């Protein structure tokens, strides 16, 4: 979500899974039943989709990319914000109209009554990360095919809904925070960290399969291991503590780009800075600050002290000058005064964040913030949204202009008739900017090359390949 592409009506759904599913042709030798799959929502939902598809493919089902070719359709929904809920309901309706046999899963699945009120004919509804339940529902409505495992091979890494060269690595489920605007804990529960050895095994399999960039995700990456009191785990016969720092150390030894998402600004993040400064982990942090006014942050019930945030950012940049920070913010939260909003603009000026997205606040069914007094009018929300985006556009333009003449490693995502499109360490796929190579016709997706920046605008960079 960049300043360029942000749309206040947009949802959290990624475009890449659609492209991967469309390109994934079923095995013509298989006699398996055929399943259509729609994956909506954020990267955390995408990983759930990958797990469901892996199990179904293992059992001999084929995944097809059109409603007409499918014997049954699964829709993995998002329910985080109202526009995502509407997208999910619309998609379910489309699948019913085009195919007729639909199983619903994902975050919106916890609101079964709401779904059935709109779409009473869905076959079954399950909640988020209910992998076994989804597969059982498929068995009930579409019997398991006769399956020859030698014809339907599933790779060790399972089914991926991302290009071969990058993958999302989910390290935990749920969240212990109770932010007043968020209903994720009611959907996905409290924090449950995956065993560290299991995560590192998965990372190693991804590395061996050709993955060059790991995007570490969870609801709260900084809190990894808190629920198990950072207990000692084991990997490759060696003891490893269950916490973010130790996990990053081990991932950083595997020779892949490691990118951290959904990190809260706790003191524990300080311990990761040396890994970023030494090149073990990408100097990139995705931190959802949400606001800068201590009063609004208190109403939001956000973790971490607002007054320490700027101090911490400065300390991080002293330790790692190359650090790139992306964030998201909410404007128009109930009770937000002009003074509160000005504090947010002042924070943007001081923090000089690299990548920023913004949402206008809207009520989410079940969120505590709905009960707060002094709601903000839509006109004021829109006016503040536009001022916010204008401010950040100016910051982004200036920061990217400073990169002209510098050289960066670029990972190639796509080759087009106009050249190649990739990203440097400062850009996560789909949510940040791109590096456009004007002479990049002799590269392939997944290549990592050196390039010199020759031009920039508010959001993207242009570069030419240089010899290493």
């Amino acid at each position: 979500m960049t300043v360029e592409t942000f749309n206040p009506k947009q949802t959290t759904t990624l475009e890449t899974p659609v492209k991967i599913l469309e390109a994934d042709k079923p095995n013509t030798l298989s006699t398996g039943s055929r399943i259509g799959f729609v994956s909506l929502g954020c990267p955390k939902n995408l990983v759930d989709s990958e797990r469901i598809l892996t199990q179904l493919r293992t059992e001999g089902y084929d995944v097809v990319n059109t409603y007409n070719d499918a014997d049954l359709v699964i829709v993995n929904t998002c329910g985080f914000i109202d526009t995502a809920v509407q997208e999910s309901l619309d998609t379910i309706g489309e699948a019913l109209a085009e195919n007729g046999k639909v199983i619903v899963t994902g975050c919106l699945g916890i609101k079964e009554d709401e779904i059935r009120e709109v779409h009473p004919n869905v076959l079954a509804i399950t909640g988020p990360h209910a992998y076994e339940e989804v597969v059982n529902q498929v068995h009930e409505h579409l019997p398991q095919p006769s399956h020859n495992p030698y014809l339907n091979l599933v790779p060790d890494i399972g089914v991926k809904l991302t290009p071969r060269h990058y993958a999302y690595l989910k390290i935990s489920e749920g969240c212990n925070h109770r932010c007043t605007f968020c209903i994720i804990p009611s959907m996905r529960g409290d924090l449950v960290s995956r065993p560290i050895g299991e995560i590192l095994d998965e990372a190693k399999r991804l590395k061996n399969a050709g993955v060059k960039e790991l995007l570490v995700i969870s609801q709260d990456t900084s809190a990894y291991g808190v629920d198990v009191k950072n207990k000692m785990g084991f990997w490759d016969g060696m003891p490893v503590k269950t916490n973010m720092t130790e996990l990053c150390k081990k991932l950083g030894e595997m020779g892949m780009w490691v990118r951290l998402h959904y990190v809260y600004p706790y003191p524990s993040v300080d311990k990761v800075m040396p890994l970023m400064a030494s090149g073990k982990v990408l100097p990139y942090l995705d931190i959802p600050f949400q606001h800068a006014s201590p009063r609004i942050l208190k109403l939001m019930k956000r973790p971490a002290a607002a007054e320490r945030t700027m101090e911490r950012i400065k300390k991080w940049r002293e330790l790692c000058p190359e650090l790139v920070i992306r964030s998201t913010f909410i404007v128009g939260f109930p009770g937000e005064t002009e003074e509160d909003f000005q504090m947010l603009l002042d924070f943007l000026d001081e923090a000089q964040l690299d990548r920023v997205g913004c949402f206008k606040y809207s009520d989410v069914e079940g969120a505590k913030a709905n009960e707060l007094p002094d709601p903000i009018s839509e006109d004021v929300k829109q006016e503040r949204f536009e001022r916010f985006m204008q401010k950040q556009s100016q910051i982004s333009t200036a920061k990217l202009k400073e990169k002209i003449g510098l050289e960066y490693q670029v990972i190639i995502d796509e080759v087009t008739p106009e050249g190649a499109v990739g990203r440097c360490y400062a850009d996560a796929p789909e949510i940040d900017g791109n590096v456009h190579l004007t002479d990049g016709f002799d590269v392939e997706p997944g290549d990592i090359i050196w390039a010199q920046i020759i031009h920039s605008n508010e959001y993207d960079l242009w570069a030419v390949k240089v010899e290493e």
Side-chain angles (χ1 to χ4, degrees):
M1 182 189 341
T2 67
V3 178
E4 175 187 30
T5 60
F6 180 79
N7 178 339
K9 294 184 179 180
Q10 82 176 53
T11 68
T12 58
T13 297
L14 304 175
E15 296 179 2
T16 300
V18 176
K19 297 177 182 178
I20 299 298
L21 285 169
E22 288 178 348
D24 187 21
K25 304 300 181 184
N27 188 336
T28 56
L29 297 176
S30 171
T31 58
S33 300
R34 298 192 162 196
I35 292 175
F37 202 101
V38 182
S39 183
L40 305 175
C42 66
K44 296 177 283 292
N45 227 33
L46 180 147
V47 173
D48 292 347
S49 295
E50 291 176 336
R51 291 182 180 177
I52 295 168
L53 286 171
T54 296
Q55 183 59 38
L56 293 173
R57 287 281 289 270
T58 300
E59 295 181 3
Y61 292 94
D62 284 326
V63 179
V64 296
N65 57 27
T66 67
Y67 290 124
N68 291 336
D69 292 333
D71 299 302
L72 179 151
V73 177
I74 299 173
V75 180
N76 191 6
T77 60
C78 178
F80 179 52
I81 54 178
D82 286 349
T83 50
V85 170
Q86 190 59 53
E87 180 191 34
S88 294
L89 291 173
D90 290 346
T91 303
I92 295 167
E94 179 182 81
L96 283 168
E98 296 291 334
N99 182 277
K101 298 179 69 175
V102 178
I103 290 175
V104 176
T105 188
C107 289
L108 190 60
I110 67 166
K111 299 180 179 180
E112 181 169 355
D113 292 343
E114 181 177 332
I115 294 172
R116 290 201 179 277
E117 182 179 348
V118 181
H119 302 300
N121 296 326
V122 295
L123 298 177
I125 299 173
T126 70
H129 55 86
Y131 317 119
E132 291 184 10
E133 193 174 349
V134 176
V135 173
N136 288 338
Q137 290 294 340
V138 172
H139 293 165
E140 182 174 333
H141 297 284
L142 194 64
Q144 284 184 255
S146 57
H147 175 46
N148 184 338
Y150 297 103
L151 296 179
N152 280 62
L153 297 177
V154 177
D156 288 342
I157 59 170
V159 176
K160 284 175 71 264
L161 295 179
T162 54
R164 183 172 182 264
H165 59 280
Y166 71 80
Y168 293 98
L169 183 67
K170 187 192 281 188
I171 63 173
S172 65
E173 267 297 351
C175 183
N176 288 342
H177 304 303
R178 295 297 183 264
C179 302
T180 57
F181 57 82
C182 181
I183 57 173
I184 291 297
S186 67
M187 293 178 171
R188 292 184 173 264
D190 289 336
L191 175 71
V192 178
S193 299
R194 292 178 63 193
I196 193 164
E198 180 182 302
I199 296 171
L200 293 171
D201 281 341
E202 181 179 349
K204 188 174 182 180
R205 289 194 299 272
L206 290 167
K207 162 76 173 178
N208 292 338
V211 169
K212 297 182 179 180
E213 178 181 10
L214 284 178
L215 299 108
V216 178
I217 59 170
S218 65
Q219 297 300 142
D220 180 359
T221 296
S222 312
Y224 173 68
V226 168
D227 56 313
V228 294
K229 299 181 179 179
N230 304 126
K231 73 176 182 181
M232 191 68 72
F234 289 88
W235 185 63
D236 274 0
M238 299 294 291
V240 188
K241 266 198 167 185
T242 307
N243 62 44
M244 182 178 72
T245 306
E246 293 302 310
L247 177 63
C248 288
K249 283 181 181 177
K250 292 299 181 183
L251 293 175
E253 293 170 359
M254 293 188 182
M256 293 179 282
W257 284 15
V258 178
R259 189 182 300 277
L260 302 181
H261 287 277
Y262 315 117
V263 177
Y264 284 78
Y266 303 143
S268 59
V269 180
D270 299 353
K271 299 177 182 178
V272 181
M273 283 301 125
L275 297 175
M276 293 185 172
S278 63
K280 298 293 186 183
V281 174
L282 291 182
Y284 175 102
L285 283 175
D286 176 1
I287 305 177
F289 290 121
Q290 306 298 13
H291 214 281
S293 162
R295 192 180 70 85
I296 296 300
L297 288 168
K298 187 175 181 180
L299 289 173
M300 290 178 170
K301 290 192 175 179
R302 294 292 288 168
E307 60 273 12
R308 297 293 301 277
T309 297
M310 198 61 241
E311 176 185 333
R312 189 155 285 133
I313 290 173
K314 290 177 179 177
K315 181 179 179 181
W316 292 340
R317 284 174 171 159
E318 288 175 2
L319 295 170
C320 182
E322 298 82 13
L323 179 65
V324 161
I325 301 176
R326 88 166 314 276
S327 189
T328 52
F329 293 87
I330 296 172
V331 298
F333 192 79
E336 182 189 61
T337 64
E338 180 61 28
E339 181 181 0
D340 293 319
F341 180 68
Q342 187 59 51
M343 290 183 70
L344 178 53
L345 296 183
D346 292 343
F347 175 80
L348 291 180
D349 275 330
E350 186 175 8
Q352 293 289 299
L353 303 179
D354 301 85
R355 299 294 191 184
V356 170
C358 180
F359 290 93
K360 292 186 295 183
Y361 173 80
S362 63
D363 287 346
V364 176
E365 184 179 349
K368 293 292 185 182
N370 301 347
E371 304 166 9
L372 292 173
D374 303 320
I376 307 301
S377 72
E378 291 302 317
D379 287 344
V380 172
K381 288 180 189 177
Q382 181 64 28
E383 187 265 343
R384 289 178 181 171
F385 169 81
E386 291 173 0
R387 287 163 61 194
F388 180 101
M389 299 305 278
Q390 182 180 23
K391 170 70 71 177
Q392 182 56 34
S393 176
Q394 294 168 353
I395 293 170
S396 178
T397 299
K399 289 184 75 70
L400 291 181
K401 190 174 182 179
E402 292 173 357
K403 297 183 184 296
I404 294 176
L406 301 179
E407 295 181 5
Y408 294 96
Q409 279 193 316
V410 174
I411 189 167
I412 304 301
D413 286 330
E414 184 180 11
V415 179
T416 72
E418 290 75 35
V421 181
R423 296 171 288 109
C424 68
Y425 80 91
D427 305 307
E430 294 205 54
I431 59 173
D432 293 328
N434 292 308
V435 179
H436 302 272
L437 291 174
T438 57
D439 61 344
F441 294 93
D442 59 341
V443 293
E444 299 291 336
D447 287 349
I448 297 179
I449 65 166
W450 281 95
Q452 183 179 47
I453 308 303
I454 60 172
H455 179 68
S456 68
N457 65 11
E458 300 96 322
Y459 324 107
D460 289 352
L461 298 169
W462 280 256
V464 292
K465 186 177 177 182
V466 298
E467 297 302 323
E468 297 185 28

